[in-house]
Amino acid sequence: MGSPSRVAAVPALLRRLNVRRVIEALQRHGPCTRAQLTRLTRISPPTMSKLVAILVREGIVERGRKPVPTRGRPGILFHLAKKKAHVVGVVVDIHETTIVAAGLDGQPLSGRQVVVPTPHDVDQLVAAIVPHIRHQRRSARSELRYIGLTVPGLIDRATGRVVFSPNLHFLDGVNLGERLKKELGTPVATFQEEHALCLAAQRFGDAKNLTDFVLLDVSAGFGMGVVSAGRFITGSTGFAGEIGHIRVQLEGRPCGCGNRGCLETVATDYALARAASERAGRPLTIAQVAEEVRQGRLALDGILEDVLEYLALAVSIVVNIFNPQAVLLHGGLFEIEDNIVSRIVERARRMTMRPSLEVCQVLRTSANKPAGAIAGALERVWAELGPVLQ
Ligand SMILES: [Zn+2]
């Protein structure tokens, strides 16, 4: 197993810091020769040779087959493991649960993604997830290092317990990660959904070069993740970011949190799909709404504007408070028309401090929840190997 003691043949902190620097470089730049890694990390060539040897021995890094021509003698390309080790991401959402396996380079292993309906019962949920991970572990024929689990709602940062899930109350007080660990014998890290999405955007997506950004996820509930000065804001216990449960309509609809008129009830995929379903006279998912609109069978006049107005309010709030370089938007409603984001920005302009909005990009993120769960699992694998100097 990938316990720290195996890498800790040389347990010095400096060695661990250097190990982490090599991993960060490979994650950021892709396959590299030893010479390239030396240049990128400023670690001396003899030390680099030792570090790469350790990482190869540990199954964290693999060597490419063919030498590539470089200045001087041909170099071997090294990359994060794809064959010897993998991680699994589990995304529990309101209706569906996704299980995906990926190499340590974060790339999903082909054919290793499964989507099952989310049973609203803890034992059934565990029973729905575990066989797929066992099957994946057998067929990948590599070591499963970590499982990254995301669950909507408030997660206790210290224990991974679900404290309160407004849309999946059967998980309130449950430590799903512990249950999965007990069944599978693999360590499990539980992340708040938006934290995982931010990690995915930082590792694989639009936020690679950003130190300050806000991610607004309206795909199920209304979630927010904030990275400020390079750090994800957790609050004292990990509950920070619940903008979705701020009341914006005094006499609004009941919300899963127990209050009324929360932003979540008016500015999400769900809110738009609900209003569109009422107009169409039949239940529609957000994907079906988008399709109906594209086919010209459904008009959203009035309905869409209301949702965009509240989304603009959310953008204006986060821009005024956090002064981010970017606001990244995640949700299905952005599929409905190409210009949804610019319509939100236009509205936000009327209610936001102008200098703050001028320095902020608002865009759709390419990050998705399975990539978030994978990024969370990898974060823990790397953390066991060595810390990062901030
Ligand atoms: Zn609420």
Side-chain angles (χ1 to χ4, degrees):
M1 295 297 290
S3 73
S5 60
R6 277 172 56 186
V7 171
V10 182
L13 178 62
L14 182 64
R15 171 62 58 86
R16 284 165 50 79
L17 284 165
N18 281 341
V19 160
R20 192 66 190 270
R21 280 164 72 193
V22 174
I23 289 165
E24 293 291 320
L26 286 170
Q27 198 161 244
R28 202 169 173 77
H29 300 277
C32 291
T33 62
R34 276 194 205 91
Q36 287 166 333
L37 286 170
T38 298
R39 217 165 31 247
L40 288 167
T41 59
R42 296 169 193 271
I43 295 171
S44 73
T47 304
M48 182 57 73
S49 288
K50 283 182 202 149
L51 291 173
V52 169
I54 289 173
L55 288 167
V56 169
R57 198 170 65 228
E58 292 299 322
I60 302 290
V61 165
E62 291 167 0
R63 63 179 83 220
R65 278 202 205 129
K66 284 185 189 161
V68 292
T70 53
R71 278 176 296 173
R73 57 198 173 118
I76 301 281
L77 280 175
F78 292 90
H79 57 82
L80 291 166
K82 300 169 192 279
K83 289 183 187 152
K84 288 185 181 167
H86 71 287
V87 291
V88 162
V90 178
V91 177
V92 176
D93 235 328
I94 302 171
H95 303 296
E96 289 176 341
T97 293
T98 306
I99 302 145
V100 60
L104 299 190
D105 59 353
Q107 294 303 311
L109 302 176
S110 61
R112 300 272 189 268
Q113 178 158 325
V114 180
V115 181
V116 296
T118 301
H120 283 209
D121 172 277
V122 182
D123 293 334
Q124 286 178 27
L125 179 58
V126 171
I129 295 169
V130 165
H132 293 291
I133 297 181
R134 284 204 178 115
H135 175 71
Q136 279 171 343
R137 191 161 50 181
R138 272 197 304 273
S139 50
R141 288 202 204 98
S142 74
E143 187 184 339
L144 171 55
R145 295 271 174 149
Y146 234 105
I147 296 169
L149 167 69
T150 71
V151 179
L154 303 180
I155 311 293
D156 183 317
R157 203 153 57 100
T159 62
R161 190 172 58 93
V162 180
V163 176
F164 180 63
S165 183
N167 298 308
L168 291 172
H169 282 299
F170 74 98
L171 285 174
D172 291 353
V174 172
N175 196 326
L176 184 59
E178 277 298 317
R179 292 283 305 268
L180 294 178
K181 185 182 167 190
K182 212 168 140 195
E183 293 284 334
L184 294 157
T186 304
V188 182
T190 309
F191 290 85
Q192 183 226 11
E193 274 191 327
E194 274 61 50
H195 188 178
L197 273 173
C198 285
L199 286 173
Q202 284 176 302
R203 289 297 181 200
F204 316 122
D206 338 68
K208 250 185 172 173
N209 299 311
L210 300 180
T211 56
D212 290 81
F213 66 95
V214 177
L215 192 146
L216 297 178
D217 169 27
V218 301
S219 61
F222 194 125
M224 174 174 79
V226 180
V227 171
S228 185
R231 284 180 183 272
F232 184 81
I233 293 181
T234 59
S236 60
T237 55
F239 302 167
E242 290 299 326
I243 191 175
H245 297 288
I246 288 174
R247 198 172 182 183
V248 293
Q249 283 187 333
L250 290 182
E251 297 305 324
R253 287 171 181 271
C255 178
C257 73
N259 294 328
R260 280 183 170 273
C262 293
L263 196 51
E264 178 161 303
T265 65
V266 289
T268 51
D269 283 356
Y270 177 74
L272 184 62
R274 185 194 58 225
S277 300
E278 279 169 15
R279 179 170 287 181
R282 62 187 194 286
L284 295 170
T285 64
I286 194 67
Q288 289 165 334
V289 171
E291 186 56 26
E292 292 291 292
V293 170
R294 265 196 299 275
Q295 300 293 335
R297 292 195 292 256
L298 179 67
L300 295 177
D301 319 15
I303 299 175
L304 182 58
E305 281 75 8
D306 282 354
V307 172
L308 297 189
E309 192 70 16
Y310 282 111
L311 271 171
L313 174 65
V315 168
S316 103
I317 290 170
V318 302
V319 169
N320 281 348
I321 294 179
F322 298 108
N323 178 212
Q325 296 161 292
V327 176
L328 307 178
L329 302 169
H330 179 258
L333 66 89
F334 302 102
E335 296 286 343
I336 289 174
E337 286 171 22
D338 291 338
N339 64 353
I340 297 266
V341 173
S342 56
R343 287 170 69 182
I344 292 170
V345 174
E346 207 174 287
R347 286 174 155 78
R349 205 166 276 138
R350 297 199 306 266
M351 40 182 150
T352 312
M353 300 282 278
R354 191 175 295 170
S356 305
L357 193 59
E358 273 172 7
V359 296
C360 179
Q361 273 187 298
V362 181
L363 60 151
R364 276 185 76 180
T365 179
S366 56
N368 56 58
K369 291 181 184 181
I374 291 294
L378 288 173
E379 198 70 9
R380 293 303 171 94
V381 175
W382 307 150
E384 285 195 348
L385 294 173
V388 170
L389 276 187
Q390 291 282 342

